[in-house]
Amino acid sequence: MRAAVVDAFGGPEQVRVERVPVPRPEAGQVRIRVRAAGVNPVDGAVRVGVFGGAGQRLGFGWDVAGEIDAVGPEVEGWTVGRRVVGLHHGPVKPLGTHAEYVVLDASALAQAPGTVNDAAAAALPLSGLTAARAVDLLGLAPGASVLITGAAGVVGGLAVQLAVRAGLVVTALAGAEDEAFVRSLGASAFVERGGAPADPVDGVLDAAVLGEAALAFVRDGGVYVGLRPHAGPAAERGIRVEEQEVAPDGEHLERLVALVDAGELTLRVADTFDLSDAAKAHTALDTPGTRGRLVLTVA
């Protein structure tokens, strides 16, 4: 099969599409015929060596949408041909979802949304689970105020929708050109990038990774939730500081799929690239201002 890999760190030119053996599912696993796979910032970080792995062949890709191609032993409830989405966790791995086939634990799968195509479905697992876990970690009651930084990004936009659905009063922080968009997601107030809310908020969900600058917006005794493990600011003023770390969770992913199919969660795709053009997708990933998820498609 074909797979996008890198064996030397650097720019998009390091990304190659090679022929590699088709993986086989083991106990508790299924093999998926990949139809689409999200290209996330973490893939760019793998490419430049943020997570290590020098001297190894490294694969890319966490998100997948496709059909089950083979089922390993001890798997119940999943059958060949079923359309699914899933999360392939881990930055340092020999193969990811940027390939024609991928093997995942059955517990990482959910039935794919029936109302969107494969490219849009592939934009859900990593970003959706990240946003949902971050909103849960806020632990705020309905009516509480939350500021979401990076609200026009893929994760931030999903977080706005999920926070509004949880009954929170959302202030969105984003670029001036994105005000209409984030308000369309349900944000009731807007702060332009570089500004500050008029009053302290009960919580901040820091999708833009502003750190201490975002912590300053939180009232004494409030909560700050960051999206990068071990990268949050030090707690102060009685503020609870949380750092979410995404993990495969098929049951939670099923709930997010239901929201997509109910029209309560909007997925955004900025552009699609054929697997053979994986290096071009990485070039687009490095280009600022992208709105929506980049996706590799596999014919």
Side-chain angles (χ1 to χ4, degrees):
M1 70 171 188
R2 296 176 299 148
V5 298
V6 65
D7 59 15
F9 299 139
E13 72 280 356
Q14 298 293 344
V15 179
R16 309 186 318 278
V17 176
E18 289 191 349
R19 289 280 178 180
V20 300
V22 177
R24 294 184 178 181
E26 298 180 354
Q29 296 182 323
V30 302
R31 185 171 66 206
I32 299 167
R33 174 65 168 94
V34 179
R35 296 301 178 185
V39 183
N40 291 276
V42 67
D43 296 310
V46 169
R47 191 194 72 231
V48 300
V50 169
F51 304 104
Q56 303 176 43
R57 183 194 69 187
L58 301 177
F60 300 103
W62 292 51
D63 299 305
V64 64
E67 303 96 30
I68 294 176
D69 169 75
V71 177
E74 302 175 22
V75 172
E76 298 180 359
W78 298 105
T79 55
V80 171
R82 192 167 177 185
R83 186 167 170 257
V84 294
V85 290
L87 181 68
H88 190 0
H89 185 269
V92 180
K93 51 199 176 191
L95 290 172
T97 62
H98 296 179
E100 291 181 309
Y101 295 89
V102 66
V103 167
L104 293 184
D105 290 343
S107 60
L109 300 181
Q111 178 76 27
T115 56
V116 300
N117 61 20
D118 289 322
L124 177 64
L126 178 57
S127 296
L129 288 170
T130 297
R133 178 163 172 74
V135 171
D136 288 347
L137 284 173
L138 286 168
L140 296 172
S145 60
V146 60
L147 183 138
I148 297 177
T149 71
V154 177
V155 174
L158 292 171
V160 169
Q161 296 173 73
L162 292 169
V164 169
R165 190 175 183 277
L168 304 180
V169 179
V170 174
T171 296
L173 189 152
E177 68 278 12
D178 294 311
E179 179 174 1
F181 170 70
V182 295
R183 286 188 182 277
S184 76
L185 299 179
S188 57
F190 176 79
V191 175
E192 185 174 348
R193 187 184 299 119
D199 299 298
V201 292
D202 296 315
V204 161
L205 193 161
D206 191 15
V209 198
L210 301 182
E212 291 182 0
L215 187 74
F217 303 148
V218 183
R219 64 166 174 80
D220 294 357
V223 58
Y224 167 100
V225 175
L227 302 189
R228 290 186 183 175
H230 317 300
E236 61 178 53
R237 297 185 286 113
I239 296 170
R240 175 170 55 90
V241 173
E242 301 277 3
E243 297 171 333
Q244 82 83 37
E245 186 167 2
V246 73
D249 187 339
E251 290 185 5
H252 201 164
L253 190 53
E254 286 278 9
R255 295 196 293 272
L256 295 174
V257 167
L259 293 178
V260 172
D261 281 340
E264 297 182 27
L265 198 61
T266 299
L267 303 171
R268 290 182 293 156
V269 174
D271 204 354
T272 61
F273 299 83
D274 186 81
L275 175 62
S276 61
D277 292 324
K280 292 181 180 179
H282 276 256
T283 297
L285 184 66
D286 288 353
T287 303
T290 300
R291 291 293 181 266
R293 180 62 63 227
L294 300 169
V295 176
L296 289 180
T297 58
V298 185

